[in-house]
Amino acid sequence: MENKHQIGSVVSLLTNPDRKLIIMNYLKRIYYCEEVGKDDHKLLAYFERELLPVTI
């Protein structure tokens, strides 16, 4: 398994932990995410090292 985070999981940014993202897709070591609560459906691209898992 190459990716650390699963599709559909919620993560946050290393530089802004208050910003929550949902992982929508994973291709070629890039995570494509959508911001939680945003309706514009714009996908944002991040590397694994930029993301932190969200603990409940």
Side-chain angles (χ1 to χ4, degrees):
M1 182 173 231
E2 187 178 321
N3 56 338
K4 181 178 175 183
H5 308 289
Q6 298 299 318
I7 293 175
S9 62
V10 179
V11 295
S12 64
L13 291 174
L14 183 64
T15 57
N16 186 0
D18 293 332
R19 189 172 182 189
K20 305 295 186 231
L21 305 166
I22 299 174
I23 297 175
M24 304 303 284
N25 204 352
Y26 176 78
L27 283 170
K28 298 183 181 181
R29 300 183 186 209
I30 298 175
Y31 290 92
Y32 294 92
C33 306
E34 187 176 276
E35 194 166 357
V36 173
K38 297 285 183 172
D39 293 331
D40 59 2
H41 301 288
K42 183 178 180 182
L43 291 180
L44 307 167
Y46 295 100
F47 291 107
E48 184 177 297
R49 65 180 175 265
E50 299 175 283
L51 302 173
L52 294 171
V54 173
T55 56
I56 299 173

Tab-separated table of all heavy atoms in Angstrom:
chain	number	residue	atom	x	y	z
A	1	MET	N	0.847	-1.181	0.000
A	1	MET	CA	0.000	0.000	0.000
A	1	MET	C	0.887	1.237	0.000
A	1	MET	O	1.669	1.452	0.912
A	1	MET	CB	-0.904	-0.047	1.219
A	1	MET	CG	-1.865	1.090	1.298
A	1	MET	SD	-2.996	0.817	2.649
A	1	MET	CE	-4.499	1.071	1.807
A	2	GLU	N	0.758	2.029	-1.007
A	2	GLU	CA	1.616	3.189	-1.187
A	2	GLU	C	1.125	4.423	-0.423
A	2	GLU	O	1.921	5.190	0.089
A	2	GLU	CB	1.688	3.509	-2.681
A	2	GLU	CG	2.676	4.584	-3.028
A	2	GLU	CD	2.729	4.803	-4.518
A	2	GLU	OE1	2.654	3.840	-5.271
A	2	GLU	OE2	2.821	5.975	-4.907
A	3	ASN	N	-0.194	4.605	-0.361
A	3	ASN	CA	-0.708	5.812	0.284
A	3	ASN	C	-0.960	5.604	1.774
A	3	ASN	O	-1.376	4.552	2.213
A	3	ASN	CB	-1.963	6.305	-0.421
A	3	ASN	CG	-3.058	5.273	-0.497
A	3	ASN	OD1	-2.796	4.094	-0.399
A	3	ASN	ND2	-4.268	5.708	-0.654
A	4	LYS	N	-0.722	6.655	2.531
A	4	LYS	CA	-0.869	6.620	3.979
A	4	LYS	C	-2.311	6.907	4.404
A	4	LYS	O	-2.799	6.342	5.370
A	4	LYS	CB	0.074	7.660	4.592
A	4	LYS	CG	0.061	7.741	6.089
A	4	LYS	CD	1.063	8.760	6.555
A	4	LYS	CE	1.012	8.963	8.050
A	4	LYS	NZ	1.945	9.998	8.494
A	5	HIS	N	-2.976	7.780	3.684
A	5	HIS	CA	-4.348	8.185	3.997
A	5	HIS	C	-5.315	7.540	3.009
A	5	HIS	O	-5.043	7.490	1.815
A	5	HIS	CB	-4.488	9.709	3.925
A	5	HIS	CG	-3.462	10.447	4.734
A	5	HIS	ND1	-3.476	10.473	6.107
A	5	HIS	CD2	-2.392	11.172	4.360
A	5	HIS	CE1	-2.463	11.195	6.544
A	5	HIS	NE2	-1.780	11.621	5.502
A	6	GLN	N	-6.442	7.077	3.504
A	6	GLN	CA	-7.437	6.413	2.671
A	6	GLN	C	-8.389	7.437	2.039
A	6	GLN	O	-8.649	8.503	2.615
A	6	GLN	CB	-8.255	5.433	3.515
A	6	GLN	CG	-7.435	4.329	4.123
A	6	GLN	CD	-6.755	3.471	3.081
A	6	GLN	OE1	-7.348	3.131	2.070
A	6	GLN	NE2	-5.508	3.137	3.315
A	7	ILE	N	-8.904	7.098	0.870
A	7	ILE	CA	-9.898	7.947	0.211
A	7	ILE	C	-11.130	8.020	1.098
A	7	ILE	O	-11.597	7.017	1.629
A	7	ILE	CB	-10.242	7.383	-1.181
A	7	ILE	CG1	-9.013	7.496	-2.080
A	7	ILE	CG2	-11.429	8.122	-1.789
A	7	ILE	CD1	-9.171	6.867	-3.426
A	8	GLY	N	-11.638	9.239	1.294
A	8	GLY	CA	-12.802	9.463	2.149
A	8	GLY	C	-12.458	9.863	3.563
A	8	GLY	O	-13.336	10.274	4.322
A	9	SER	N	-11.191	9.766	3.946
A	9	SER	CA	-10.807	10.139	5.306
A	9	SER	C	-10.606	11.647	5.418
A	9	SER	O	-10.345	12.335	4.444
A	9	SER	CB	-9.548	9.392	5.742
A	9	SER	OG	-8.466	9.726	4.918
A	10	VAL	N	-10.743	12.141	6.637
A	10	VAL	CA	-10.588	13.572	6.920
A	10	VAL	C	-9.174	13.806	7.417
A	10	VAL	O	-8.684	13.102	8.289
A	10	VAL	CB	-11.623	14.045	7.964
A	10	VAL	CG1	-11.439	15.516	8.280
A	10	VAL	CG2	-13.033	13.784	7.463
A	11	VAL	N	-8.528	14.807	6.846
A	11	VAL	CA	-7.169	15.180	7.225
A	11	VAL	C	-7.121	16.683	7.431
A	11	VAL	O	-8.065	17.405	7.106
A	11	VAL	CB	-6.142	14.756	6.142
A	11	VAL	CG1	-6.069	13.260	6.018
A	11	VAL	CG2	-6.449	15.389	4.809
A	12	SER	N	-6.013	17.162	7.966
A	12	SER	CA	-5.790	18.600	8.106
A	12	SER	C	-4.427	18.939	7.519
A	12	SER	O	-3.613	18.053	7.268
A	12	SER	CB	-5.881	19.035	9.563
A	12	SER	OG	-4.863	18.436	10.317
A	13	LEU	N	-4.197	20.210	7.341
A	13	LEU	CA	-2.929	20.662	6.780
A	13	LEU	C	-1.883	20.813	7.868
A	13	LEU	O	-2.191	21.223	8.988
A	13	LEU	CB	-3.114	22.006	6.077
A	13	LEU	CG	-3.939	21.990	4.808
A	13	LEU	CD1	-4.143	23.417	4.310
A	13	LEU	CD2	-3.262	21.161	3.742
A	14	LEU	N	-0.668	20.513	7.536
A	14	LEU	CA	0.445	20.680	8.466
A	14	LEU	C	0.623	22.155	8.820
A	14	LEU	O	0.868	22.499	9.968
A	14	LEU	CB	1.725	20.120	7.848
A	14	LEU	CG	2.985	20.129	8.692
A	14	LEU	CD1	2.793	19.223	9.907
A	14	LEU	CD2	4.165	19.654	7.884
A	15	THR	N	0.454	23.036	7.849
A	15	THR	CA	0.640	24.469	8.063
A	15	THR	C	-0.584	25.156	8.645
A	15	THR	O	-0.472	26.253	9.180
A	15	THR	CB	1.004	25.164	6.741
A	15	THR	OG1	-0.015	24.901	5.781
A	15	THR	CG2	2.336	24.676	6.215
A	16	ASN	N	-1.769	24.526	8.547
A	16	ASN	CA	-3.001	25.099	9.072
A	16	ASN	C	-3.883	23.965	9.600
A	16	ASN	O	-4.799	23.517	8.913
A	16	ASN	CB	-3.728	25.884	7.969
A	16	ASN	CG	-4.933	26.625	8.479
A	16	ASN	OD1	-5.248	26.567	9.668
A	16	ASN	ND2	-5.617	27.310	7.598
A	17	PRO	N	-3.639	23.495	10.820
A	17	PRO	CA	-4.364	22.335	11.356
A	17	PRO	C	-5.868	22.548	11.516
A	17	PRO	O	-6.611	21.588	11.630
A	17	PRO	CB	-3.718	22.095	12.716
A	17	PRO	CG	-2.450	22.841	12.705
A	17	PRO	CD	-2.585	23.947	11.716
A	18	ASP	N	-6.340	23.793	11.524
A	18	ASP	CA	-7.767	24.059	11.663
A	18	ASP	C	-8.533	23.825	10.361
A	18	ASP	O	-9.754	23.713	10.368
A	18	ASP	CB	-8.000	25.495	12.128
A	18	ASP	CG	-7.482	25.715	13.538
A	18	ASP	OD1	-7.457	24.736	14.318
A	18	ASP	OD2	-7.082	26.849	13.853
A	19	ARG	N	-7.842	23.751	9.253
A	19	ARG	CA	-8.466	23.539	7.945
A	19	ARG	C	-8.624	22.033	7.716
A	19	ARG	O	-7.658	21.300	7.615
A	19	ARG	CB	-7.594	24.157	6.862
A	19	ARG	CG	-8.234	24.193	5.517
A	19	ARG	CD	-7.377	24.987	4.563
A	19	ARG	NE	-8.016	25.066	3.270
A	19	ARG	CZ	-7.439	25.544	2.192
A	19	ARG	NH1	-6.205	26.000	2.262
A	19	ARG	NH2	-8.069	25.571	1.054
A	20	LYS	N	-9.865	21.575	7.642
A	20	LYS	CA	-10.168	20.153	7.476
A	20	LYS	C	-10.453	19.852	6.004
A	20	LYS	O	-11.163	20.594	5.331
A	20	LYS	CB	-11.380	19.759	8.312
A	20	LYS	CG	-11.240	20.096	9.786
A	20	LYS	CD	-10.139	19.314	10.442
A	20	LYS	CE	-10.137	19.565	11.930
A	20	LYS	NZ	-8.886	19.928	12.465
A	21	LEU	N	-9.906	18.741	5.528
A	21	LEU	CA	-10.055	18.328	4.139
A	21	LEU	C	-10.511	16.877	4.074
A	21	LEU	O	-10.156	16.068	4.931
A	21	LEU	CB	-8.721	18.451	3.401
A	21	LEU	CG	-8.027	19.802	3.437
A	21	LEU	CD1	-6.593	19.658	2.955
A	21	LEU	CD2	-8.765	20.801	2.592
A	22	ILE	N	-11.282	16.552	3.052
A	22	ILE	CA	-11.681	15.171	2.777
A	22	ILE	C	-10.904	14.716	1.547
A	22	ILE	O	-10.892	15.403	0.524
A	22	ILE	CB	-13.187	15.059	2.498
A	22	ILE	CG1	-13.985	15.513	3.704
A	22	ILE	CG2	-13.560	13.633	2.122
A	22	ILE	CD1	-15.470	15.575	3.453
A	23	ILE	N	-10.270	13.561	1.644
A	23	ILE	CA	-9.512	13.027	0.508
A	23	ILE	C	-10.496	12.421	-0.491
A	23	ILE	O	-11.247	11.507	-0.164
A	23	ILE	CB	-8.484	11.984	0.971
A	23	ILE	CG1	-7.470	12.657	1.892
A	23	ILE	CG2	-7.808	11.335	-0.231
A	23	ILE	CD1	-6.467	11.729	2.506
A	24	MET	N	-10.474	12.955	-1.707
A	24	MET	CA	-11.389	12.515	-2.752
A	24	MET	C	-10.733	11.524	-3.715
A	24	MET	O	-11.410	10.658	-4.257
A	24	MET	CB	-11.916	13.715	-3.540
A	24	MET	CG	-12.589	14.764	-2.681
A	24	MET	SD	-13.949	14.124	-1.706
A	24	MET	CE	-15.190	13.987	-2.949
A	25	ASN	N	-9.418	11.673	-3.922
A	25	ASN	CA	-8.720	10.816	-4.876
A	25	ASN	C	-7.233	10.805	-4.546
A	25	ASN	O	-6.729	11.716	-3.888
A	25	ASN	CB	-8.941	11.324	-6.300
A	25	ASN	CG	-8.773	10.250	-7.336
A	25	ASN	OD1	-8.346	9.141	-7.034
A	25	ASN	ND2	-9.098	10.566	-8.578
A	26	TYR	N	-6.538	9.797	-5.039
A	26	TYR	CA	-5.098	9.671	-4.847
A	26	TYR	C	-4.503	9.143	-6.142
A	26	TYR	O	-4.856	8.060	-6.599
A	26	TYR	CB	-4.791	8.701	-3.691
A	26	TYR	CG	-3.327	8.437	-3.489
A	26	TYR	CD1	-2.527	9.364	-2.846
A	26	TYR	CD2	-2.740	7.266	-3.952
A	26	TYR	CE1	-1.171	9.126	-2.650
A	26	TYR	CE2	-1.391	7.013	-3.768
A	26	TYR	CZ	-0.616	7.955	-3.114
A	26	TYR	OH	0.722	7.724	-2.929
A	27	LEU	N	-3.634	9.949	-6.757
A	27	LEU	CA	-2.993	9.564	-8.008
A	27	LEU	C	-1.544	10.001	-8.002
A	27	LEU	O	-1.243	11.166	-7.730
A	27	LEU	CB	-3.683	10.225	-9.209
A	27	LEU	CG	-5.000	9.640	-9.661
A	27	LEU	CD1	-5.658	10.551	-10.673
A	27	LEU	CD2	-4.783	8.271	-10.258
A	28	LYS	N	-0.659	9.076	-8.307
A	28	LYS	CA	0.764	9.367	-8.459
A	28	LYS	C	1.335	10.196	-7.311
A	28	LYS	O	1.952	11.235	-7.507
A	28	LYS	CB	1.025	10.058	-9.791
A	28	LYS	CG	0.651	9.199	-10.969
A	28	LYS	CD	0.989	9.856	-12.268
A	28	LYS	CE	0.560	8.955	-13.405
A	28	LYS	NZ	0.865	9.513	-14.696
A	29	ARG	N	1.086	9.719	-6.085
A	29	ARG	CA	1.603	10.325	-4.844
A	29	ARG	C	1.050	11.717	-4.543
A	29	ARG	O	1.630	12.471	-3.762
A	29	ARG	CB	3.128	10.368	-4.851
A	29	ARG	CG	3.723	8.989	-4.956
A	29	ARG	CD	5.203	9.057	-4.888
A	29	ARG	NE	5.715	7.716	-5.145
A	29	ARG	CZ	6.839	7.260	-4.655
A	29	ARG	NH1	7.576	8.014	-3.910
A	29	ARG	NH2	7.227	6.052	-4.923
A	30	ILE	N	-0.060	12.068	-5.138
A	30	ILE	CA	-0.720	13.348	-4.873
A	30	ILE	C	-2.131	13.061	-4.378
A	30	ILE	O	-2.869	12.284	-4.976
A	30	ILE	CB	-0.753	14.234	-6.124
A	30	ILE	CG1	0.671	14.554	-6.573
A	30	ILE	CG2	-1.533	15.521	-5.856
A	30	ILE	CD1	0.765	15.315	-7.868
A	31	TYR	N	-2.488	13.695	-3.258
A	31	TYR	CA	-3.832	13.587	-2.696
A	31	TYR	C	-4.672	14.746	-3.205
A	31	TYR	O	-4.273	15.906	-3.098
A	31	TYR	CB	-3.788	13.646	-1.171
A	31	TYR	CG	-3.171	12.426	-0.545
A	31	TYR	CD1	-1.816	12.381	-0.262
A	31	TYR	CD2	-3.943	11.317	-0.228
A	31	TYR	CE1	-1.245	11.263	0.314
A	31	TYR	CE2	-3.385	10.196	0.353
A	31	TYR	CZ	-2.040	10.175	0.618
A	31	TYR	OH	-1.479	9.064	1.195
A	32	TYR	N	-5.835	14.433	-3.754
A	32	TYR	CA	-6.769	15.447	-4.217
A	32	TYR	C	-7.880	15.541	-3.180
A	32	TYR	O	-8.593	14.569	-2.924
A	32	TYR	CB	-7.315	15.087	-5.596
A	32	TYR	CG	-6.222	15.116	-6.638
A	32	TYR	CD1	-5.508	13.972	-6.960
A	32	TYR	CD2	-5.869	16.307	-7.260
A	32	TYR	CE1	-4.480	14.002	-7.890
A	32	TYR	CE2	-4.843	16.348	-8.196
A	32	TYR	CZ	-4.158	15.196	-8.507
A	32	TYR	OH	-3.133	15.233	-9.422
A	33	CYS	N	-7.992	16.722	-2.581
A	33	CYS	CA	-8.874	16.907	-1.439
A	33	CYS	C	-9.891	18.013	-1.705
A	33	CYS	O	-9.688	18.887	-2.531
A	33	CYS	CB	-8.064	17.306	-0.209
A	33	CYS	SG	-6.721	16.188	0.180
A	34	GLU	N	-10.970	17.941	-0.923
A	34	GLU	CA	-12.002	18.962	-0.950
A	34	GLU	C	-12.153	19.476	0.475
A	34	GLU	O	-12.148	18.690	1.427
A	34	GLU	CB	-13.303	18.326	-1.433
A	34	GLU	CG	-14.413	19.286	-1.669
A	34	GLU	CD	-15.614	18.541	-2.246
A	34	GLU	OE1	-15.641	18.332	-3.465
A	34	GLU	OE2	-16.488	18.165	-1.442
A	35	GLU	N	-12.289	20.773	0.639
A	35	GLU	CA	-12.409	21.351	1.973
A	35	GLU	C	-13.776	21.021	2.568
A	35	GLU	O	-14.797	21.113	1.882
A	35	GLU	CB	-12.205	22.862	1.920
A	35	GLU	CG	-11.989	23.473	3.274
A	35	GLU	CD	-11.462	24.897	3.208
A	35	GLU	OE1	-11.204	25.398	2.113
A	35	GLU	OE2	-11.316	25.499	4.271
A	36	VAL	N	-13.799	20.625	3.833
A	36	VAL	CA	-15.043	20.272	4.519
A	36	VAL	C	-15.903	21.521	4.650
A	36	VAL	O	-15.426	22.570	5.075
A	36	VAL	CB	-14.746	19.671	5.915
A	36	VAL	CG1	-16.016	19.465	6.709
A	36	VAL	CG2	-13.970	18.380	5.781
A	37	GLY	N	-17.175	21.410	4.260
A	37	GLY	CA	-18.114	22.513	4.396
A	37	GLY	C	-18.143	23.472	3.223
A	37	GLY	O	-18.926	24.410	3.219
A	38	LYS	N	-17.324	23.271	2.221
A	38	LYS	CA	-17.323	24.139	1.039
A	38	LYS	C	-18.155	23.483	-0.049
A	38	LYS	O	-18.028	22.289	-0.305
A	38	LYS	CB	-15.898	24.374	0.509
A	38	LYS	CG	-15.015	25.097	1.486
A	38	LYS	CD	-15.385	26.555	1.539
A	38	LYS	CE	-14.424	27.265	2.466
A	38	LYS	NZ	-14.550	28.681	2.457
A	39	ASP	N	-18.977	24.260	-0.727
A	39	ASP	CA	-19.860	23.725	-1.758
A	39	ASP	C	-19.354	23.953	-3.175
A	39	ASP	O	-20.029	23.610	-4.126
A	39	ASP	CB	-21.252	24.351	-1.627
A	39	ASP	CG	-21.934	23.922	-0.341
A	39	ASP	OD1	-21.642	22.816	0.147
A	39	ASP	OD2	-22.761	24.696	0.167
A	40	ASP	N	-18.169	24.546	-3.338
A	40	ASP	CA	-17.690	24.845	-4.688
A	40	ASP	C	-17.060	23.633	-5.375
A	40	ASP	O	-16.812	23.662	-6.560
A	40	ASP	CB	-16.716	26.012	-4.684
A	40	ASP	CG	-15.489	25.770	-3.824
A	40	ASP	OD1	-15.350	24.680	-3.245
A	40	ASP	OD2	-14.663	26.696	-3.730
A	41	HIS	N	-16.811	22.546	-4.638
A	41	HIS	CA	-16.267	21.293	-5.174
A	41	HIS	C	-14.938	21.475	-5.899
A	41	HIS	O	-14.639	20.781	-6.853
A	41	HIS	CB	-17.271	20.598	-6.091
A	41	HIS	CG	-18.545	20.264	-5.400
A	41	HIS	ND1	-18.639	19.259	-4.472
A	41	HIS	CD2	-19.779	20.807	-5.481
A	41	HIS	CE1	-19.875	19.194	-4.020
A	41	HIS	NE2	-20.582	20.125	-4.611
A	42	LYS	N	-14.154	22.424	-5.467
A	42	LYS	CA	-12.831	22.632	-6.036
A	42	LYS	C	-11.857	21.668	-5.365
A	42	LYS	O	-11.742	21.633	-4.145
A	42	LYS	CB	-12.388	24.076	-5.801
A	42	LYS	CG	-11.061	24.416	-6.404
A	42	LYS	CD	-10.733	25.874	-6.169
A	42	LYS	CE	-9.405	26.214	-6.774
A	42	LYS	NZ	-9.057	27.609	-6.518
A	43	LEU	N	-11.155	20.864	-6.171
A	43	LEU	CA	-10.193	19.920	-5.626
A	43	LEU	C	-8.842	20.589	-5.437
A	43	LEU	O	-8.370	21.306	-6.315
A	43	LEU	CB	-10.048	18.710	-6.546
A	43	LEU	CG	-11.257	17.788	-6.630
A	43	LEU	CD1	-10.965	16.633	-7.568
A	43	LEU	CD2	-11.662	17.270	-5.276
A	44	LEU	N	-8.247	20.353	-4.282
A	44	LEU	CA	-6.945	20.894	-3.936
A	44	LEU	C	-5.950	19.748	-3.908
A	44	LEU	O	-6.266	18.656	-3.424
A	44	LEU	CB	-7.019	21.574	-2.569
A	44	LEU	CG	-8.121	22.612	-2.415
A	44	LEU	CD1	-8.302	22.981	-0.958
A	44	LEU	CD2	-7.803	23.831	-3.246
A	45	ALA	N	-4.764	19.970	-4.409
A	45	ALA	CA	-3.750	18.911	-4.499
A	45	ALA	C	-2.672	19.104	-3.443
A	45	ALA	O	-2.142	20.201	-3.290
A	45	ALA	CB	-3.130	18.913	-5.889
A	46	TYR	N	-2.347	18.011	-2.716
A	46	TYR	CA	-1.338	18.048	-1.669
A	46	TYR	C	-0.499	16.775	-1.702
A	46	TYR	O	-0.981	15.710	-2.065
A	46	TYR	CB	-1.985	18.160	-0.279
A	46	TYR	CG	-2.735	19.438	-0.061
A	46	TYR	CD1	-4.107	19.480	-0.172
A	46	TYR	CD2	-2.057	20.606	0.256
A	46	TYR	CE1	-4.805	20.656	0.028
A	46	TYR	CE2	-2.745	21.782	0.454
A	46	TYR	CZ	-4.111	21.805	0.341
A	46	TYR	OH	-4.779	22.974	0.522
A	47	PHE	N	0.742	16.900	-1.273
A	47	PHE	CA	1.597	15.739	-1.068
A	47	PHE	C	1.343	15.181	0.327
A	47	PHE	O	0.853	15.877	1.210
A	47	PHE	CB	3.077	16.119	-1.208
A	47	PHE	CG	3.483	16.465	-2.607
A	47	PHE	CD1	3.745	17.775	-2.954
A	47	PHE	CD2	3.598	15.488	-3.577
A	47	PHE	CE1	4.123	18.105	-4.236
A	47	PHE	CE2	3.972	15.799	-4.865
A	47	PHE	CZ	4.234	17.120	-5.198
A	48	GLU	N	1.720	13.930	0.550
A	48	GLU	CA	1.508	13.272	1.836
A	48	GLU	C	2.158	14.033	2.990
A	48	GLU	O	1.606	14.124	4.078
A	48	GLU	CB	2.057	11.852	1.778
A	48	GLU	CG	1.804	11.045	3.022
A	48	GLU	CD	2.297	9.629	2.882
A	48	GLU	OE1	1.788	8.907	2.023
A	48	GLU	OE2	3.221	9.269	3.633
A	49	ARG	N	3.334	14.589	2.754
A	49	ARG	CA	4.057	15.292	3.823
A	49	ARG	C	3.361	16.579	4.275
A	49	ARG	O	3.692	17.137	5.311
A	49	ARG	CB	5.475	15.594	3.365
A	49	ARG	CG	5.565	16.553	2.193
A	49	ARG	CD	7.007	16.826	1.782
A	49	ARG	NE	7.070	17.647	0.606
A	49	ARG	CZ	7.195	17.206	-0.638
A	49	ARG	NH1	7.291	15.908	-0.862
A	49	ARG	NH2	7.235	18.037	-1.654
A	50	GLU	N	2.380	17.065	3.518
A	50	GLU	CA	1.657	18.286	3.867
A	50	GLU	C	0.400	18.018	4.681
A	50	GLU	O	-0.229	18.956	5.155
A	50	GLU	CB	1.250	19.037	2.592
A	50	GLU	CG	2.423	19.467	1.751
A	50	GLU	CD	1.995	20.102	0.448
A	50	GLU	OE1	1.597	19.362	-0.471
A	50	GLU	OE2	2.044	21.345	0.380
A	51	LEU	N	0.033	16.749	4.864
A	51	LEU	CA	-1.216	16.383	5.507
A	51	LEU	C	-1.007	15.667	6.838
A	51	LEU	O	-0.039	14.934	7.009
A	51	LEU	CB	-2.039	15.479	4.582
A	51	LEU	CG	-2.387	16.059	3.221
A	51	LEU	CD1	-3.053	14.999	2.364
A	51	LEU	CD2	-3.244	17.286	3.344
A	52	LEU	N	-1.947	15.900	7.753
A	52	LEU	CA	-1.946	15.235	9.058
A	52	LEU	C	-3.285	14.524	9.240
A	52	LEU	O	-4.323	15.078	8.876
A	52	LEU	CB	-1.803	16.263	10.178
A	52	LEU	CG	-0.500	17.034	10.277
A	52	LEU	CD1	-0.644	18.143	11.300
A	52	LEU	CD2	0.615	16.109	10.659
A	53	PRO	N	-3.293	13.332	9.814
A	53	PRO	CA	-4.578	12.675	10.103
A	53	PRO	C	-5.305	13.421	11.217
A	53	PRO	O	-4.687	13.957	12.128
A	53	PRO	CB	-4.184	11.271	10.529
A	53	PRO	CG	-2.767	11.377	10.957
A	53	PRO	CD	-2.158	12.515	10.206
A	54	VAL	N	-6.624	13.456	11.133
A	54	VAL	CA	-7.442	14.107	12.146
A	54	VAL	C	-7.843	13.056	13.166
A	54	VAL	O	-8.371	11.997	12.805
A	54	VAL	CB	-8.689	14.751	11.525
A	54	VAL	CG1	-9.615	15.282	12.596
A	54	VAL	CG2	-8.281	15.872	10.585
A	55	THR	N	-7.578	13.336	14.426
A	55	THR	CA	-8.005	12.431	15.501
A	55	THR	C	-9.327	12.921	16.065
A	55	THR	O	-9.522	14.113	16.274
A	55	THR	CB	-6.944	12.367	16.617
A	55	THR	OG1	-6.691	13.689	17.096
A	55	THR	CG2	-5.655	11.767	16.105
A	56	ILE	N	-10.215	11.971	16.313
A	56	ILE	CA	-11.556	12.327	16.806
A	56	ILE	C	-11.572	12.331	18.316
A	56	ILE	O	-10.992	11.574	18.972
A	56	ILE	CB	-12.611	11.348	16.251
A	56	ILE	CG1	-12.616	11.452	14.740
A	56	ILE	CG2	-13.969	11.626	16.823
A	56	ILE	CD1	-13.486	10.437	14.059
